[in-house]
């Protein structure tokens, strides 16, 4: 199985400041069709995961543009340019290139 | 509005069985994958099983292989997970998840709680 490794696991951020989460995979996430199926999710306390980003850098409808995804191959990043209070929660990367899908351990974002 | 609604969870003794169901509204399970993902209390997300609707291909996590069976009901547009020989470590919130694009896992239900305890 593909191992997804996130860092940091805890991310205290001051309101209005940027935040960055790294996600690395144990093997390339480039699919045979040429796409890279790397997703990012946000899970607020008590809620189901919410899909934020698909295929590395594409934001879902309704996701604020302060969120952005980047990367390639085995190395990916989620950035929030200015953290707001509603961004508190746990962020997960997930690869959908190889079965089984696998998730990172999660990064808990909190406000300092 | 797209909704995935899970049901069938509950408290069950070790070694017993349980059948989870996922009903979809506002969407049809007609393409790509549908999955069960679980989250143990205070823990992360673990993919449990998946099914490619168009082909019927299925997959299982090693932790549940041989004990869990995923299936679909095309007429009712629903997904099921038959869980047998349940263990305390299967205790989790089980989510039904739908791919809208390959590898996407875009839509999630609210989850159904499974607790395995004597």
């Amino acid at each position: 199985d593909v191992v997804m490794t996130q860092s940091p696991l805890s991310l205290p951020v001051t309101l209005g400041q940027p935040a960055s989460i790294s996600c690395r995979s144990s093997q390339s996430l480039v699919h045979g069709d040429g796409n890279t199926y790397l997703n990012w999710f946000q899970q607020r306390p008590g809620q189901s995961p919410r899909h934020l980003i698909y295929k590395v850098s594409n934001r879902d409808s309704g996701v604020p543009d302060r969120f952005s995804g980047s990367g390639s191959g085995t190395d990916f990043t989620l950035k929030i340019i200015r953290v707001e209070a509603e961004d508190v929660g746990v962020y997960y990367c997930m690869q959908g290139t190889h079965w089984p899908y696998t998730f990172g351990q999660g990064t808990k974002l909190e406000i300092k | 509005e797209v909704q995935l609604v899970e049901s069938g969870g509950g408290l069950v003794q070790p070694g017993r069985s349980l059948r989870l169901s996922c009903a979809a509204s506002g969407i049809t399970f007609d393409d790509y994958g549908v999955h069960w993902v679980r989250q143990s209390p205070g823990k992360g997300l673990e993919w449990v099983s998946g099914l490619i609707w168009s082909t019927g291909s299925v997959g299982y996590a090693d932790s549940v292989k041989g004990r869990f069976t995923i299936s679909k009901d095309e007429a009712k547009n629903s997904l099921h997970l038959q869980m047998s020989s349940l263990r305390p470590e299967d205790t989790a919130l089980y989510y039904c998840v739908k791919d809208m694009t390959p590898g996407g896992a875009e839509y999630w239900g609210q989850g159904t709680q499974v607790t395995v305890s004597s």
Side-chain angles (χ1 to χ4, degrees):
Chain A
D1 298 357
V2 177
V3 177
M4 305 296 287
T5 303
Q6 286 182 231
S7 63
L9 299 185
S10 178
L11 185 56
V13 184
T14 301
L15 284 174
Q17 293 300 301
S20 180
I21 301 170
S22 170
C23 175
R24 289 191 167 92
S25 58
S26 60
Q27 58 185 273
S28 173
L29 299 186
V30 180
H31 193 272
D33 64 7
N35 290 304
T36 299
Y37 297 111
L38 186 283
N39 304 272
W40 288 97
F41 297 86
Q42 173 196 62
Q43 188 174 32
R44 292 173 172 148
Q47 296 186 11
S48 301
R50 172 196 181 194
H51 197 263
L52 294 177
I53 303 275
Y54 63 98
K55 287 195 287 185
V56 181
S57 60
N58 298 275
R59 274 191 307 275
D60 280 60
S61 174
V63 174
D65 60 8
R66 64 178 181 275
F67 289 90
S68 66
S70 62
S72 64
T74 63
D75 200 348
F76 306 93
T77 302
L78 176 71
K79 290 183 178 175
I80 310 172
I81 54 173
R82 284 180 302 276
V83 169
E84 298 187 5
E86 65 178 20
D87 299 336
V88 166
V90 180
Y91 291 80
Y92 295 92
C93 60
M94 185 210 88
Q95 67 82 20
T97 296
H98 308 281
W99 272 42
Y101 292 0
T102 46
F103 295 88
Q105 316 96 303
T107 295
K108 187 173 184 179
L109 186 150
E110 61 182 20
I111 304 300
K112 269 187 203 172
Chain B
E1 182 194 4
V2 174
Q3 273 197 314
L4 299 175
V5 179
E6 304 92 338
S7 60
L11 173 62
V12 63
Q13 292 179 328
R16 303 298 291 265
S17 299
L18 214 53
R19 186 178 190 240
L20 305 185
S21 296
C22 173
S25 59
I27 196 172
T28 53
F29 287 152
D30 57 359
D31 209 346
Y32 303 123
V34 286
H35 312 270
W36 291 99
V37 174
R38 69 185 180 185
Q39 187 168 34
S40 300
K43 301 292 186 182
L45 300 166
E46 179 190 16
W47 181 89
V48 172
S49 181
L51 180 153
I52 303 296
W53 199 264
S54 57
T55 66
S57 299
V58 300
Y60 300 95
D62 287 345
S63 57
V64 307
K65 205 171 288 184
R67 300 188 298 123
F68 289 12
T69 303
I70 192 171
S71 63
K72 61 177 180 174
D73 185 330
E74 295 200 35
K76 294 183 178 179
N77 198 39
S78 61
L79 180 72
H80 304 284
L81 185 69
Q82 179 68 45
M83 305 187 295
S84 304
S85 303
L86 282 162
R87 305 167 180 168
E89 55 265 35
D90 295 319
T91 294
L93 186 62
Y94 284 72
Y95 293 104
C96 175
V97 180
K98 171 75 175 79
D99 292 340
M100 294 304 295
T101 58
E106 286 89 343
Y107 286 116
W108 294 60
Q110 289 302 305
T112 186
Q113 179 66 41
V114 172
T115 302
V116 184
S117 174
S118 54

